[in-house]
Amino acid sequence: GQNIDQPTEMTATEGAIVQINCTYQTSGFNGLFWYQQHAGEAPTFLSYNVLDGLEEKGRFSSFLSRSKGYSYLLLKELQMKDSASYLCAVMDSNYQLIWGAGTKLIIKP
Amino acid sequence: EPEVTQTPSHQVTQMGQEVILRCVPISNHLYFYWYRQILGQKVEFLVSFYNNEISEKSEIFDDQFSVERPDGSNFTLKIRSTKLEDSAMYFCASSEVGDRTPNYGYTFGSGTRLTVV
């Protein structure tokens, strides 16, 4: 079966750095997405990785290792507004998005 | 910035009734999707739509569900006879170049919260 695993919840301090991990087992791979979702709102696109390595975009970076079926989202200089759920999603061989359950990130002052 | 618009934002309906959820995708996008998210659970794929027909659908998208693009701008999801377990947030999404070049991700609408009582 297809599976995306990420921690259920993480807590971090304002101004700090946090890394949210995602491991996946899917039938085929056509890229991995990270989305941010505030409670009651729609997911918003953060990043897309299809090749191994690190993609940096401002305070957010995303890393992929296809051989390990592993990705992480790195958030730097955390702000209170970063409190949200972070969803990892993998596009499988049928070009369908398989979603993780999301990691709820709590930022404390 | 272009948006995907969904209406209504919240709909309450009685079990067994039909509901139609409406979406206006971004105007130059060609691929349209419906997802749902039961409270506290994963986002689940329902259906994708391209060139006026369904391109993919999930096991959830059974005969109770249908999609339509009645005119050049709207994209609708119909649930014929709602069940309690259909209560969820329903998100519409669109993408410019479709499944096979997903670099830009999908743009999601703000969702319709469906409550079946």
Side-chain angles (χ1 to χ4, degrees), chain A:
Chain A
Q2 310 210 85
N3 202 45
I4 311 277
D5 285 316
Q6 42 181 141
T8 305
E9 188 174 294
M10 298 181 72
T11 303
T13 305
E14 191 176 15
I17 298 173
V18 71
Q19 177 174 311
I20 302 174
N21 295 326
C22 171
T23 58
Y24 62 89
Q25 293 171 312
T26 56
S27 54
F29 180 82
N30 280 299
L32 184 145
F33 295 83
W34 284 97
Y35 281 84
Q36 181 190 61
Q37 186 178 29
H38 287 99
E41 297 183 13
T44 55
F45 173 75
L46 291 178
S47 69
Y48 169 70
N49 294 67
V50 68
L51 299 176
D52 290 350
L54 187 68
E55 296 273 348
E56 297 187 73
K57 194 185 289 186
R59 292 189 299 115
F60 292 7
S61 304
S62 56
F63 171 83
L64 175 68
S65 168
R66 287 171 297 171
S67 62
K68 295 181 180 176
Y70 168 69
S71 173
Y72 67 72
L73 180 70
L74 190 72
L75 292 77
K76 302 177 186 175
E77 301 169 17
L78 287 170
Q79 301 173 10
M80 297 303 293
K81 67 178 183 179
D82 297 330
S83 292
S85 286
Y86 291 84
L87 312 180
C88 174
V90 172
M91 184 163 281
D92 69 8
S93 56
N94 293 320
Y95 297 93
Q96 287 195 26
L97 276 181
I98 311 300
W99 295 83
T103 298
K104 183 177 180 181
L105 179 63
I106 300 167
I107 310 295
K108 295 187 174 177

Side-chain angles (χ1 to χ4, degrees), chain B residues 36-109:
Chain B
R36 79 172 186 191
Q37 188 175 32
I38 296 169
L39 185 64
Q41 298 187 25
K42 291 184 185 184
V43 175
E44 298 174 296
F45 168 76
L46 293 178
V47 66
S48 59
F49 192 87
Y50 170 71
N51 200 26
N52 288 319
E53 60 183 27
I54 292 172
S55 49
E56 298 283 349
K57 61 181 181 179
S58 71
E59 292 173 354
I60 301 167
F61 194 88
D62 61 20
D63 292 343
Q64 292 287 86
F65 292 88
S66 61
V67 289
E68 214 175 39
R69 190 153 160 82
D71 53 43
S73 60
N74 289 288
F75 178 51
T76 62
L77 174 71
K78 182 192 291 186
I79 310 175
R80 287 192 185 82
S81 177
T82 50
K83 303 185 285 284
L84 294 177
E85 53 264 38
D86 294 328
S87 295
M89 281 287 281
Y90 287 81
F91 294 109
C92 173
S94 68
S95 62
E96 183 175 359
V97 291
D99 295 345
R100 279 151 179 79
T101 53
N103 303 49
Y104 305 107
Y106 306 161
T107 302
F108 282 83

Side-chain angles (χ1 to χ4, degrees), chain B residues 9-22:
Chain B
S9 57
H10 190 184
Q11 177 143 5
V12 181
T13 188
Q14 288 199 325
M15 192 168 55
Q17 294 296 305
E18 175 183 285
V19 294
I20 297 176
L21 309 183
R22 302 180 192 282

